[in-house]
Amino acid sequence: MDADSHAGHAHDVSGVSDSRLLWAVGLNQLLTLGQIVAGVFSGSLALMADALHNFNDAMALLIAYIARRVSRRQATKAFTFGYRRAELIGAMINLTALAMVGLYLIYEAVMRFIEPKEITGWLMMAAAGLALVVDIATAVLLWVMSRGNLNVRAAFVHNMTDAAASVAVLLGGLAIIYLDVYWIDPLLTLVIAGYVLYQALTMLPKAARILMGAAPPGIDFDEVVQAMQGHELVEEIHHVHIWQLDESHCAMEAHVVIDPSAVNQMRAVKHSLKRVLEEQFEIGHSTLEFELSDEQLGGTEHHGQVTPH
């Protein structure tokens, strides 16, 4: 996921207290409800699209909150890696729903261009003004407690983006009231819904990669193998698997072949390789199985190749 997200903007909120986070979630959920009601009564699709945007933020923060609470649970015999992927499951559901609603709003916006409908501009403006206040309040709630946290700062910037969308809807309401340009509403809807849809379709593959056990996109498999094989006592690395446990943690397993004469230095080699993995590739969890070169069966393994179980 990118810096300002986590699977549906599931921000890293470790620097924010639970109470502030819940206030942010509550404010955005109430805002979403208010915008939907105002959108229905005013006839404004742009308000509905902005409600979708705010709902996405509220769900992302709620998912992050739940995931943080769940992640505090200790690993069990059934869940030996703990509950780190709880956030990803919620994010996949959230992003899928987001994409579907975004597509529907785009369809409705196109239909509004074909068959324009009258819109109550003052109600549209009132809801957009309320949204602007809530967006700023949410940004402040996140910012005050997390000035040293880059990810939460990114969440702050994202809320400023939400505020900009609310300003656009507010100006759209003014245009409808004073200029009778009703086409501005479906135009704003296309812009906001398109942006939200872009977010969803960009982050869905990232969440899916992690759930599928793929290697982190920023790690070069061959480079990892070469770095490990660069150790003077290592003859070969095979049976290599690298995967993401969640957005922030990677794991790896590999078979390490050393010469029988180096068997007494096995522990030192292991510590050295683990240090390389953690410092150069940020792989904090690694399982290394050592083998002696005279125990290898000819032709069964290939240098640097991933072999399935």
Side-chain angles (χ1 to χ4, degrees):
M1 306 275 175
D2 49 20
D4 66 339
S5 75
H6 129 36
H9 293 295
H11 306 292
D12 177 355
V13 288
S14 57
V16 185
S17 68
D18 284 354
S19 60
R20 284 182 178 271
L21 189 55
L22 285 176
W23 270 107
V25 172
L27 282 173
N28 278 276
Q29 292 287 26
L30 285 174
L31 172 61
T32 298
L33 181 61
Q35 284 185 306
I36 290 174
V37 172
V40 170
F41 282 97
S42 69
S44 171
L45 270 179
L47 272 181
M48 303 291 281
D50 201 29
L52 172 66
H53 199 181
N54 283 292
F55 176 75
N56 178 40
D57 291 343
M59 288 303 297
L61 290 171
L62 181 61
I63 288 169
Y65 170 76
I66 293 173
R68 180 164 68 170
R69 297 298 296 267
V70 170
S71 66
R72 291 171 183 167
R73 298 173 61 182
Q74 296 297 318
T76 66
K77 292 180 179 179
F79 295 91
T80 55
F81 276 116
Y83 297 84
R84 290 172 174 166
R85 290 188 176 178
E87 182 179 5
L88 288 169
I89 296 172
M92 287 290 288
I93 296 171
N94 182 35
L95 289 169
T96 302
L98 189 68
M100 293 175 64
V101 177
L103 287 171
Y104 173 74
L105 283 174
I106 289 176
Y107 165 77
E108 285 292 330
V110 172
M111 295 305 295
R112 284 288 181 93
F113 277 115
I114 299 172
E115 298 180 9
K117 293 185 180 179
E118 188 173 346
I119 299 169
T120 307
W122 68 266
L123 185 54
M124 179 179 173
M125 286 186 62
L130 176 62
L132 181 60
V133 172
V134 173
D135 288 335
I136 294 174
T138 302
V140 170
L141 283 172
L142 293 174
W143 176 255
V144 171
M145 291 289 290
S146 49
R147 292 180 181 176
N149 188 308
L150 290 177
N151 286 321
V152 180
R153 193 176 303 170
F156 166 82
V157 173
H158 184 74
N159 273 106
M160 291 297 95
T161 303
D162 295 345
S166 297
V167 170
V169 177
L170 192 64
L171 295 175
L174 279 173
I176 288 171
I177 292 174
Y178 293 105
L179 301 176
D180 288 332
V181 284
Y182 291 104
W183 54 263
I184 196 71
D185 184 69
L187 178 62
L188 289 171
T189 302
L190 285 177
V191 173
I192 297 172
Y195 174 64
V196 172
L197 192 60
Y198 167 77
Q199 290 178 321
L201 296 181
T202 299
M203 289 181 285
L204 267 172
K206 296 178 181 180
R209 278 183 58 88
I210 298 176
L211 290 176
M212 288 291 291
I219 292 181
D220 186 289
F221 175 85
D222 293 329
E223 189 177 337
V224 173
V225 173
Q226 289 171 9
M228 295 177 70
Q229 289 181 159
H231 194 288
E232 58 182 2
L233 297 179
V234 173
E235 294 192 356
E236 184 184 0
I237 301 292
H238 61 249
H239 200 84
V240 181
H241 298 273
I242 306 173
W243 70 98
Q244 285 182 273
L245 297 172
D246 57 20
E247 287 184 86
S248 306
H249 301 87
C250 299
M252 174 186 178
E253 67 175 16
H255 287 203
V256 181
V257 182
I258 61 175
D259 189 89
S261 63
V263 68
N264 292 332
Q265 301 181 62
M266 189 179 297
R267 178 170 293 184
V269 174
K270 178 180 180 180
H271 288 167
S272 178
L273 292 178
K274 281 181 172 287
R275 186 168 61 251
V276 167
L277 291 172
E278 186 163 6
E279 292 179 357
Q280 293 188 24
F281 304 101
E282 298 183 354
I283 299 176
H285 180 94
S286 57
T287 303
L288 305 179
E289 180 176 334
F290 280 78
E291 301 171 355
L292 303 181
S293 56
D294 60 357
E295 294 176 351
Q296 290 300 293
L297 298 177
T300 59
E301 301 288 356
H302 298 281
H303 179 77
Q305 179 178 335
V306 175
T307 55
H309 292 293

